Amino acid sequence: MVKIGDIELPDFPLLLAPMEDVSDPPFRALCKEQGADVVYTEFISSEGLIRDAAKSTMKLDIYEKERPVGIQIFGANLDSMLRSVEIVEKSNPDIIDINFGCPVKKVVSKGAGAGILKDIDLMVSLTEAMVKHTKLPVTVKTRLGWDDDSIRIVEVAERLQDVGIKSIAIHGRTRAQMYKGDADWRPIADVKNNQRMHIPVFGNGDISSPEKAQEMRDVYGLDGAMIGRATIGYPWFFNEVKHFFKTGEHLAPPTIAERVEVARRHLQMSIDWKGDRLGVVETRRHYTNYFKGIPHFKEYRMKMVTSDDAADVFAAFDEVLDIFGDHQFV
């Protein structure tokens, strides 16, 4: 069993990574149904929260069926981060997660996200203040370091643990790498193998197959996997990993009917939560993966990703079901 504070999780839990414009309530609900053990919100700006910016406060919406759920915030200003913790607490999440890993320039340029990897002392003091400011378990997601010359993740993780975080998720790339090249899980294993570490250490980056998840568990010895891009338009990934762990065999991929049904539900939940236009637009990125492997799919995908009218998208789903419903594509 793995524990984040008092939250009990199964051995080698699978966590849905926080992803901007992806891990919203509709998608989190689908991932939860498909085996995700913990889900995280999109990352939320502490400055946006204290200004009561609509886009930031909307991301605080969480639902009972998602639990355990973590709300992730980012920022570099101590006062703003502490005030945002108080705002986040009112949504009653199970976990508050601090983003020290986002590599995007507009975040990094303010010293937030992976930008704070340039100032480890600030990273530690900010975390300590936040841990003291809430009774909720505080966790951290970060990267190996700013660049190859500044990787001190074993020391950093230990210092963060010592000021009270309850788990750490580490992406196996530096900020300089962005999302290029291969994730390196060896330094994450070094964190786990540090005898002073006693909190869960989760690996993140390039978990693109059940075999990769198994490698992270059995070869690198990590406590769990935080999975991001492999789940976009494919919430079934969590159950496929769990099935592989249990049986050593690959779960049969979802049928066309199952893919259409989940894509339809996803779109409808997004519309219900965000309204017609945003619900349609912000679900588009999922369709390529929902219908991956279907030959000559471009015509239907174009309908799904160019129309602002939900009725057109639902009609495209119906067409896919009518034409390809009797086939199975891997």
Side-chain angles (χ1 to χ4, degrees):
M1 182 196 298
V2 173
K3 291 181 78 171
I4 300 177
D6 293 329
I7 301 166
E8 295 184 354
L9 301 170
D11 285 340
F12 204 79
L14 305 178
L15 294 70
L16 172 66
M19 291 178 282
E20 177 72 353
D21 294 330
V22 174
S23 50
D24 56 15
F27 187 60
R28 296 197 305 264
L30 293 171
C31 289
K32 196 76 184 179
E33 288 174 19
Q34 295 294 338
D37 295 302
V38 183
V39 296
Y40 288 86
T41 64
E42 304 166 75
F43 75 156
I44 306 173
S45 163
S46 57
E47 302 296 335
L49 283 180
I50 63 175
R51 289 198 315 271
D52 201 27
K55 189 171 184 194
S56 294
T57 54
M58 188 177 183
K59 291 178 183 176
L60 292 172
D61 288 353
I62 58 175
Y63 301 91
E64 284 302 312
K65 63 188 174 187
E66 297 182 58
R67 296 191 185 278
V69 57
I71 290 180
Q72 189 188 70
I73 53 178
F74 72 94
N77 177 278
L78 177 59
D79 181 60
S80 300
M81 289 292 270
L82 294 181
R83 286 167 63 191
S84 68
V85 165
E86 295 166 9
I87 296 166
V88 164
E89 283 182 325
K90 291 173 184 166
S91 291
N92 196 27
D94 301 287
I95 297 162
I96 293 178
D97 190 70
I98 313 172
N99 181 307
F100 289 144
C102 176
V104 175
K105 188 176 180 183
K106 68 177 182 180
V107 173
V108 167
S109 63
K110 294 174 180 157
I116 209 165
L117 288 165
K118 286 181 166 180
D119 189 344
I120 302 303
D121 289 343
L122 174 62
M123 183 186 194
V124 173
S125 63
L126 192 66
T127 304
E128 182 175 24
M130 292 176 69
V131 168
K132 288 177 176 174
H133 205 64
T134 182
K135 290 188 171 68
L136 290 169
V138 174
T139 62
V140 161
K141 181 168 191 278
T142 189
R143 287 184 168 231
L144 299 179
W146 177 256
D147 56 25
D148 284 344
D149 297 326
S150 60
I151 295 177
R152 295 161 50 196
I153 190 63
V154 174
E155 171 205 340
V156 169
E158 187 177 312
R159 290 179 66 184
L160 292 171
Q161 170 187 265
D162 290 349
V163 298
I165 67 166
K166 300 303 183 188
S167 74
I168 186 165
I170 303 168
H171 182 100
R173 289 181 175 86
T174 62
R175 190 274 167 173
Q177 280 181 272
M178 300 295 285
Y179 293 99
K180 299 190 177 96
D182 295 328
D184 185 357
W185 298 346
R186 290 170 300 177
I188 313 176
D190 291 341
V191 173
K192 176 61 188 170
N193 292 330
N194 175 4
Q195 293 187 342
R196 291 206 66 251
M197 290 298 287
H198 53 78
I199 61 172
V201 178
F202 301 125
N204 174 237
D206 293 357
I207 304 162
S208 54
S209 66
E211 286 87 350
K212 281 285 201 179
Q214 186 176 54
E215 182 184 0
M216 182 173 274
R217 183 188 70 176
D218 297 347
V219 177
Y220 291 85
L222 303 184
D223 292 303
M226 180 176 274
I227 305 168
R229 286 177 287 176
T231 70
I232 297 174
Y234 204 80
W236 299 277
F237 190 77
F238 296 99
N239 268 339
E240 290 183 359
V241 171
K242 289 185 172 182
H243 182 82
F244 187 77
F245 282 178
K246 209 175 284 183
T247 67
E249 297 174 356
H250 284 268
L251 193 63
T255 64
I256 299 299
E258 287 168 332
R259 296 190 208 188
V260 168
E261 190 258 336
V262 171
R264 183 189 296 281
R265 284 179 55 217
H266 191 166
L267 177 56
Q268 188 59 59
M269 287 192 290
S270 292
I271 290 168
D272 293 343
W273 186 58
K274 299 177 184 176
D276 286 351
R277 189 176 180 283
L278 263 187
V280 168
V281 170
E282 293 194 1
T283 316
R284 286 174 178 166
R285 71 183 59 213
H286 293 271
Y287 296 141
T288 298
N289 282 352
Y290 270 134
F291 301 106
K292 193 173 183 178
I294 298 178
H296 314 300
F297 181 67
K298 185 176 179 183
E299 172 192 345
Y300 307 100
R301 186 174 66 82
M302 291 307 293
K303 290 179 185 177
M304 293 175 190
V305 302
T306 56
S307 176
D308 289 341
D309 187 338
D312 292 342
V313 183
F314 284 123
F317 292 160
D318 289 337
E319 282 186 72
V320 169
L321 188 58
D322 288 344
I323 294 168
F324 301 107
D326 294 331
H327 298 81
Q328 179 62 64
F329 304 105
V330 179

